[in-house]
Amino acid sequence: MLFFPRFYLNVGLGAMLLWGGHTLPALGQPQPLATHAARQEQLRREQQRLQPQPYDLRRYPLTPTWETHWRRLLWATALRQPQQPYVVQALRSIVARAQTPQPTPTETRIITQALQVSNLYLRQQPTTHRQLQASLQRVVQTSPHAGWVALALHTLIRSGRLTPAQSAHLLTQTRQRFPDPPDLLAVVLQDLEQPPVPLPPLAELLAWQAQPGQMQLYVFCQPNRWRPCTLIVKDNRGEFYREGGQLWSRQLLLQSVYGLDWPFTYGQTPQGLQRVAGVIASRAGELFRAYGQFPLVRLFLPLETPEFFPGEALTLAAYRDHLPPSWRDYPPLYQSYHAGRLGRGLLRIHGTGEAPELFVRPPEGQHPWNPALGCLTALEQYTPQGELQQGDMAAILRVLHRASGGTWSGYLLVVELPEEVATTDVTSWLPPYLPAAQGTP
């Protein structure tokens, strides 16, 4: 889910449901916002926001009058990650207000976004900004708001800056402060305290379908979500989709713009099951930058829709029963269930009209796939004249339509594979785990 500050309201607002008769955009159709000139102008505007004066809280207090100012500024900060001291000082000053007993709705939204940006700085640049680390530690130790404590705690422990003893101390301290933690904090504590578990048999996972007669998508990722994941498809007859005798695949990026993990709004795509349920039209104008020129594949997390398993009430036990037997005690596959229970939703598979250089990236993110706000993004590249050079959504939509029997219905499973599973060369590592069936030619 990638939005631009208007502000992150509802991806489905005004969207039109589409089915098998939808006509895809013509390849090479010029897109004015994808030209080199338009992209340079956008980059210039975002950079222009990052001057010292806009970060001055005395000039721009956290009031409704200046909410749009701060939301746009923090978004630009996340995109460009400026390193000037006045930026970090502004983040620290806003984060310090997490101690406020009763923040206003405007303060709540701005403080939350400042914590999200702070997560990005600490996770993506682990050797800098020790002052931010101290600010987040104060949030964990003294803020009365469990949601902000959860975000600060998760950032600190996952940043790799703390020793095991320091992490254990913060976890103990948090449980003492919140002996009966609310939902988000309870899920975060469980996630942080979960010891590593061995990966169950991949062969069983690949021989399984969440619902017989339904298309099954698999997305295999590495723990570092800046590395593109691999999408493969099993059709509604239970056969892997192939073209030219080769297993069909495309790469998707499942990384969050803010670098947030799965429990949080705008965090990376959770592992586990999601329901595939149709496509929706891409939006014109500025939202082309967020979604590209192709339709979006609509996904539902568990509990986001009452029809996750049609005709069946969705409980944790029902969700468990739809997993392969040897995977039912594998905690990561329950991330999507808990994310849906916490209220996350509106995830999509989509392209993007943004220039890759808009996003400051770590070394492993130096590729043309763009991060989003929870969604799975496909490669979409343009020439300097704004003509489509490569648009993977066209192939993804074509294959999903065929594999689902024209219904656009099925399930998607996201799984992170440990380093010992050598996921090199996209799909060349998969054949030893695949069933003997040859699949759709």
Side-chain angles (χ1 to χ4, degrees):
M1 186 195 308
L2 177 54
F3 294 99
F4 294 83
R6 294 219 181 238
F7 276 105
Y8 319 145
L9 295 178
N10 187 338
V11 68
L13 198 62
M16 180 180 70
L17 279 177
L18 299 170
W19 302 99
H22 183 74
T23 301
L24 298 179
L27 296 183
Q29 179 180 352
Q31 297 289 337
L33 294 180
T35 65
H36 177 74
R39 287 177 162 184
Q40 288 299 112
E41 174 59 21
Q42 182 195 12
L43 184 58
R44 185 199 65 77
R45 288 199 309 268
E46 299 297 349
Q47 285 291 149
Q48 186 63 34
R49 299 187 202 279
L50 306 178
Q51 302 304 309
Q53 182 175 306
Y55 288 92
D56 187 345
L57 278 99
R58 292 168 298 181
R59 184 182 294 266
Y60 304 103
L62 306 189
T63 62
T65 300
W66 299 111
E67 179 172 356
T68 296
H69 166 87
W70 281 107
R71 300 293 295 278
R72 290 186 182 278
L73 179 60
L74 290 170
W75 176 252
T77 304
L79 294 177
R80 304 305 304 156
Q81 298 177 42
Q83 300 300 305
Q84 290 85 348
Y86 60 79
V87 177
V88 175
Q89 183 54 50
L91 288 173
R92 293 187 68 210
S93 297
I94 296 172
V95 166
R97 302 191 185 200
Q99 320 301 330
T100 306
Q102 293 183 314
T104 68
T106 290
E107 289 173 329
T108 297
R109 287 186 287 269
I110 296 173
I111 292 167
T112 299
Q113 194 175 5
L115 284 165
Q116 293 167 341
V117 175
S118 298
N119 172 82
L120 181 64
Y121 272 67
L122 288 177
R123 298 282 293 273
Q124 203 153 298
Q125 302 175 40
T127 61
T128 60
H129 310 308
R130 293 193 177 277
Q131 293 174 317
L132 269 180
Q133 178 179 333
S135 296
L136 294 189
Q137 286 176 321
R138 280 193 289 276
V139 172
V140 173
Q141 293 163 348
T142 63
S143 175
H145 305 290
W148 288 339
V149 170
L151 180 47
L153 178 68
H154 205 280
T155 296
L156 288 167
I157 292 180
R158 292 295 192 225
S159 70
R161 291 168 170 263
L162 304 182
T163 66
Q166 289 172 323
S167 296
H169 177 71
L170 279 183
L171 289 166
T172 300
Q173 195 174 47
T174 302
R175 286 206 175 274
Q176 290 170 345
R177 291 189 61 218
F178 297 92
D180 187 19
D183 261 359
L184 176 59
L185 182 55
V187 167
V188 165
L189 286 167
Q190 182 179 9
D191 184 57
L192 292 173
E193 293 170 341
Q194 175 66 50
V197 293
L199 191 75
L202 268 178
E204 182 178 341
L205 187 72
L206 289 162
W208 151 95
Q209 283 177 274
Q211 193 87 311
Q214 293 274 301
M215 171 180 65
Q216 179 69 54
L217 281 61
Y218 298 86
V219 179
F220 292 109
C221 298
Q222 298 180 46
N224 186 335
R225 291 291 185 89
W226 272 111
R227 296 191 172 98
C229 306
T230 298
L231 165 69
I232 60 174
V233 176
K234 186 184 287 185
D235 67 20
N236 58 355
R237 298 172 298 170
E239 298 178 344
F240 282 97
Y241 190 88
R242 300 173 186 267
E243 288 187 344
Q246 300 297 314
L247 183 68
W248 181 91
S249 70
R250 286 296 183 274
Q251 290 189 288
L252 301 169
L253 196 68
L254 276 63
Q255 177 61 297
S256 161
V257 172
Y258 290 114
L260 293 165
D261 280 6
W262 67 269
F264 302 102
T265 301
Y266 307 140
Q268 62 187 207
T269 316
Q271 296 184 69
L273 275 175
Q274 298 184 47
R275 181 158 174 74
V276 181
V279 295
I280 54 177
S282 188
R283 303 276 295 279
E286 284 288 319
L287 288 178
F288 159 77
R289 289 188 163 127
Y291 306 119
Q293 66 170 279
F294 295 94
L296 297 75
V297 177
R298 188 170 64 162
L299 305 174
F300 285 110
L301 288 168
L303 304 174
E304 186 183 358
T305 172
E307 290 293 309
F308 192 80
F309 297 124
E312 183 178 349
L314 181 58
T315 63
L316 185 59
Y319 179 90
R320 174 187 172 87
D321 286 345
H322 281 267
L323 299 177
S326 66
W327 289 74
R328 290 174 184 167
D329 294 319
Y330 186 63
L333 289 199
Y334 293 86
Q335 290 179 6
S336 63
Y337 182 89
H338 293 299
R341 186 171 60 80
L342 291 170
R344 287 200 65 184
L346 301 175
L347 305 190
R348 309 287 185 254
I349 304 173
H350 62 76
T352 171
E354 287 288 15
E357 57 267 23
L358 180 67
F359 304 90
V360 171
R361 303 160 180 263
E364 61 272 23
Q366 300 303 313
H367 51 61
W369 284 265
N370 287 340
L373 293 175
C375 293
L376 305 82
T377 55
L379 189 62
E380 190 165 327
Q381 293 182 289
Y382 289 86
T383 69
Q385 294 75 38
E387 296 180 343
L388 186 65
Q389 191 173 48
Q390 180 174 348
D392 282 357
M393 280 306 297
I396 291 170
L397 291 163
R398 170 178 55 80
V399 168
L400 298 194
H401 183 254
R402 184 176 180 187
S404 67
T407 66
W408 302 101
S409 180
Y411 292 88
L412 175 145
L413 183 80
V414 177
V415 180
E416 283 183 7
L417 301 177
E419 297 294 337
E420 54 265 27
V421 179
T423 56
T424 56
D425 300 325
V426 187
T427 60
S428 63
W429 59 276
L430 271 168
Y433 304 103
L434 292 176
Q438 291 300 304
T440 306

